[in-house]
Amino acid sequence: MGEEPGTEARRRELSGSLERVRERIRRATEAAGRDSEPALIVVTKFHPASDVRLLAEFGVRDVGENRDQEAAAKAAELEELPLAWHFIGQLQTNKAKSVVRYADAVHSVDRASLVSALGKAVAASGRDRALDCLVQVNLDPDAAPGRGGALPEEVPGLSDLLAGTEGLRLAGVMAVAPLGEDPAEAFARLASIAEQMQRRHPGADMVSAGMSQDLEQAVAAGATHLRIGTDVLGTRPRVR
Ligand SMILES: *Cc1c(COP(=O)(O)O)cnc(C)c1O
């Protein structure tokens, strides 16, 4: 089977950057005195399906996407690969039907209307296993409501609603460190929100935190899942 020209160069590039990120995760895990490494979700948004295929050769099993149309197309093209698709972007309720067809987890559940849309979509899809859902928390202390992430005080109510919705499994919390704040402090607040959630919902043990810039701080704060794009794939094309 022939490959596109340039594939071999890209393969070497991705293999090198992936190894460097894995090494950072190993070191951060060791520095934090943790027994087990967090899982690496490679965020492949804006990059072609051919890159995801190469990453799969190197053992990547978890990939993250933030736009439904792009994610749906890639998941369909790569259907034969053993990949888990993590939806990490802001999600409109009218996209719920599409997302539940390919996603293994949705990290960006931040409002009641989305919980009910996802629950209905799972019921209508005939999907045979529950959809893992994480409550996205807005960690910005000056956050206005309704802008990507539930406020910390909204998390318990939203978690109870999720846990009580058939077809959905409350899996944990997700957050992005706010700009202009030490990520270690933001991730410490997330860890305490996660702990409170787990007291009420013992199985909800995922803590999705840490991107290219702040993965070390996230590992130190107890993240179980890292979402790394740029440092594996390179900078994203700006326009498309
Ligand atoms: C794009 C994105 C990432 C990856 O960020 P990088 O800085 O490229 O590693 C992680 N999480 C979310 C929610 C994203 O949208």
Side-chain angles (χ1 to χ4, degrees):
M1 223 173 77
E3 286 188 332
E4 294 287 318
T7 301
E8 191 46 40
R10 185 61 170 156
R11 178 180 283 121
R12 274 199 301 274
E13 192 169 74
L14 289 180
S15 154
S17 57
L18 184 63
E19 190 42 50
R20 284 189 294 278
V21 165
R22 285 175 167 162
E23 180 58 27
R24 279 171 67 192
I25 297 171
R26 272 194 290 276
R27 283 171 196 259
T29 303
E30 212 176 274
R34 292 177 51 169
D35 303 331
S36 60
E37 283 181 22
L40 169 61
I41 300 170
V42 179
V43 178
T44 51
K45 64 190 186 195
F46 292 94
H47 292 281
S50 56
D51 279 353
V52 184
R53 199 181 283 284
L54 292 174
L55 290 167
E57 288 181 15
F58 304 125
V60 169
R61 292 294 172 262
D62 292 283
V63 292
E65 288 283 335
N66 72 338
R67 295 180 308 167
D68 170 57
Q69 223 184 345
E70 177 179 345
K74 281 183 200 164
E77 183 174 344
L78 302 173
E79 201 173 21
E80 83 286 2
L81 297 178
L83 295 168
W85 295 86
H86 297 257
F87 193 86
I88 62 170
Q90 285 211 41
L91 183 56
Q92 293 170 271
T93 50
N94 64 1
K95 299 284 168 62
K97 256 195 187 144
S98 170
V99 166
V100 304
R101 282 192 210 114
Y102 60 82
D104 293 86
V106 175
H107 291 228
S108 44
V109 179
D110 60 357
R111 58 199 192 280
S113 58
L114 185 54
V115 173
S116 74
L118 287 168
K120 280 183 197 147
V122 168
S125 73
R127 192 189 158 98
D128 57 2
R129 68 212 146 83
L131 176 70
D132 278 352
C133 291
L134 288 77
V135 175
Q136 182 180 352
V137 187
N138 190 333
L139 294 175
D140 186 343
D142 308 316
R147 272 208 58 244
L151 300 179
E153 60 267 29
E154 297 170 328
V155 173
L158 202 53
S159 306
D160 291 353
L161 182 66
L162 245 169
T165 302
E166 199 158 344
L168 308 183
R169 188 183 84 86
L170 176 66
V173 293
M174 181 274 247
V176 175
L179 285 174
E181 190 195 359
D182 178 357
E185 288 173 20
F187 292 148
R189 292 202 298 284
L190 182 66
S192 109
I193 292 166
E195 211 178 282
Q196 287 168 38
M197 183 185 282
Q198 282 173 60
R199 249 180 264 134
R200 285 162 82 95
H201 304 284
D205 55 6
M206 284 175 73
V207 180
S208 167
M211 311 182 10
S212 294
Q213 298 280 345
D214 53 24
L215 83 83
E216 282 81 6
Q217 290 94 331
V219 173
T224 63
H225 290 72
L226 306 168
R227 307 179 310 269
I228 312 296
T230 310
D231 283 358
V232 173
L233 288 137
T235 51
R236 291 179 278 275
R238 292 173 69 87
V239 238
R240 44 177 289 137

